[in-house]
């Protein structure tokens, strides 16, 4: 039987990851005027990749062909998730963007569930998402490009969970390093195309380093540890608590003020994810 501390460790890892990644996201949004959302994504992912490769030196333990494919897909989904969610942050509030993004992890719940109650929680979250739609009474108009980017990030998040679970049986640190390298290969060229030489300004590099530590190295390492000890469905449910953390980070760091309807929508999604976590079967 697993000791209480052993059961608590992966949950604390998820909480630490959520706080770190959302504070990092709010700080990153403040840097968008310098090089744009793609530029900050490129600096963040590129620096994180360099640091992780230097620390773990994963080439010392080459991957099997099948594992390499899964790690590559995991990394590409990681990179595209970062690119798209930052594009959403540039256009809509952070908490709202994350609330839309969690449709991805909730889809993981639906497709891996065998219980009607989980569909009820998804319906609760869907109602919260509906409250964010422009058609909902009292809803503030949201930039459609930002909404589309958040939905795309949600799909990538779902794939990140699926393929992250597949590679979580491997050594966590080297896997994260290879995954971040794959993410850098698909994000850095786009950032250079948008910002050019401005990416290498000292203030941009320093800010990108802070964002890389808060939003990439620390949270993804914590998540990889949690993925190896939690079922995929439970992991997807727990990290879906991010909208509330993101909304608070946006308010505290950037002063983003949401409408009552938007807070209600986020609350519905948080209730849905908390309920799913409370009723999830042990596994």
């Amino acid at each position: 039987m697993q000791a209480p501390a052993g059961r608590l460790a992966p949950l604390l890892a998820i909480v630490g990851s959520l706080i770190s990644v959302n504070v990092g996201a709010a700080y990153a949004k403040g840097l968008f005027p310098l090089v744009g959302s793609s530029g900050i994504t490129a600096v963040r992912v590129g620096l994180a990749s360099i640091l992780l490769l230097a620390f773990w030196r994963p080439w010392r333990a080459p991957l099997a062909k099948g594992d390499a494919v899964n790690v590559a897909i995991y990394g590409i989904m990681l990179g595209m998730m970062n690119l798209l969610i930052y594009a959403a942050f540039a256009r809509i509030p952070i908490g709202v963007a994350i609330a839309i993004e969690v449709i991805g992890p909730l889809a993981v719940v639906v497709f891996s569930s065998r219980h009607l109650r989980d569909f009820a929680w998804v319906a609760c979250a869907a109602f919260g998402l509906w409250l964010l739609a422009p058609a909902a009474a009292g809803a503030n108009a949201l930039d459609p490009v930002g909404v589309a980017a958040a939905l795309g990030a949600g799909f990538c998040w779902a794939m990140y969970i699926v393929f992250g679970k597949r590679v979580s049986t491997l050594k966590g640190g080297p896997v994260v390093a290879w995954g971040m390298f794959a993410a850098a290969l698909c994000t850095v060229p786009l950032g250079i195309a948008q910002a050019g030489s401005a990416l290498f300004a000292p203030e941009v590099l320093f800010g990108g380093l802070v964002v890389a530590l808060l939003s990439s190295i620390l949270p993804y390492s914590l998540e990889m540890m949690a993925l190896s000890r939690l079922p995929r469905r439970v992991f997807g449910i727990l990290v879906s608590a991010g909208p509330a953390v993101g909304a608070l980070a946006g308010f505290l760091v950037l002063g983003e003020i949401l409408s009552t309807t938007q807070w209600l929508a986020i609350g519905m999604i948080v209730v849905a994810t908390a309920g799913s976590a409370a009723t999830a079967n042990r596994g």
Side-chain angles (χ1 to χ4, degrees):
M1 183 175 179
Q2 193 177 27
R7 293 195 299 267
L8 188 60
L11 301 180
L12 291 177
I14 294 298
V15 171
S17 173
L18 286 172
I19 293 173
S20 181
V21 77
N22 284 289
V23 170
Y27 177 75
K29 184 170 181 175
L31 300 174
F32 287 176
L34 298 177
V35 289
S37 62
S38 295
I40 292 299
T41 304
V43 174
R44 164 192 167 179
V45 176
L47 289 175
S49 175
I50 292 171
L51 292 173
L52 286 170
L53 288 173
F55 182 79
W56 289 108
R57 291 179 285 178
W59 51 85
R60 294 181 299 177
L63 297 170
K65 184 177 180 180
D67 292 332
V69 171
N70 286 328
V71 170
I73 297 174
Y74 158 78
I76 291 170
M77 291 299 103
L78 176 61
M80 294 307 298
M81 177 177 68
N82 286 319
L83 195 69
L84 289 168
I85 197 59
Y86 273 25
F89 289 165
R91 295 168 174 83
I92 58 179
I94 289 176
V96 173
I98 297 175
I100 296 171
E101 185 190 24
V102 299
I103 192 172
L106 288 174
V108 175
V109 174
V110 172
F111 289 116
S112 63
S113 176
R114 297 181 179 86
H115 299 283
L116 183 62
R117 66 192 178 204
D118 292 317
F119 289 84
W121 292 123
V122 169
C124 179
F127 178 69
L129 292 174
W130 175 82
L131 288 176
L132 295 174
N140 289 352
L142 296 175
D143 186 317
V145 175
V147 172
L151 288 171
F155 171 79
C156 294
W157 192 358
M159 292 299 99
Y160 164 77
I161 293 171
V162 171
F163 285 91
K165 185 63 177 177
R166 289 185 184 181
V167 301
S168 64
T169 56
L170 306 174
K171 291 183 178 180
V175 166
V176 173
W178 280 130
M180 196 64 69
F181 177 68
L185 290 179
C186 64
T187 58
V188 171
L190 295 175
I192 293 175
Q194 182 183 65
S197 61
L199 286 181
F200 304 101
E203 62 271 22
V204 173
L205 290 175
F206 176 78
L209 179 61
V210 173
V211 175
L213 292 171
L214 288 175
S215 293
S216 293
I217 296 176
L218 179 59
Y220 294 137
S221 297
L222 289 172
E223 285 182 11
M224 184 56 66
M225 185 273 284
L227 270 168
S228 66
R229 301 170 68 178
L230 289 174
R232 181 176 65 196
R233 184 167 65 95
V234 175
F235 175 86
I237 291 167
L238 292 175
V239 297
S240 297
V245 182
L248 288 174
F251 173 72
L252 294 174
V253 179
L254 299 171
E256 292 183 343
I257 300 176
L258 304 182
S259 69
T260 302
T261 301
Q262 289 170 337
W263 275 111
L264 178 60
I266 291 173
M268 293 294 294
I269 294 170
V270 170
V271 168
T273 54
S276 297
T279 59
N281 287 337
R282 295 180 180 178

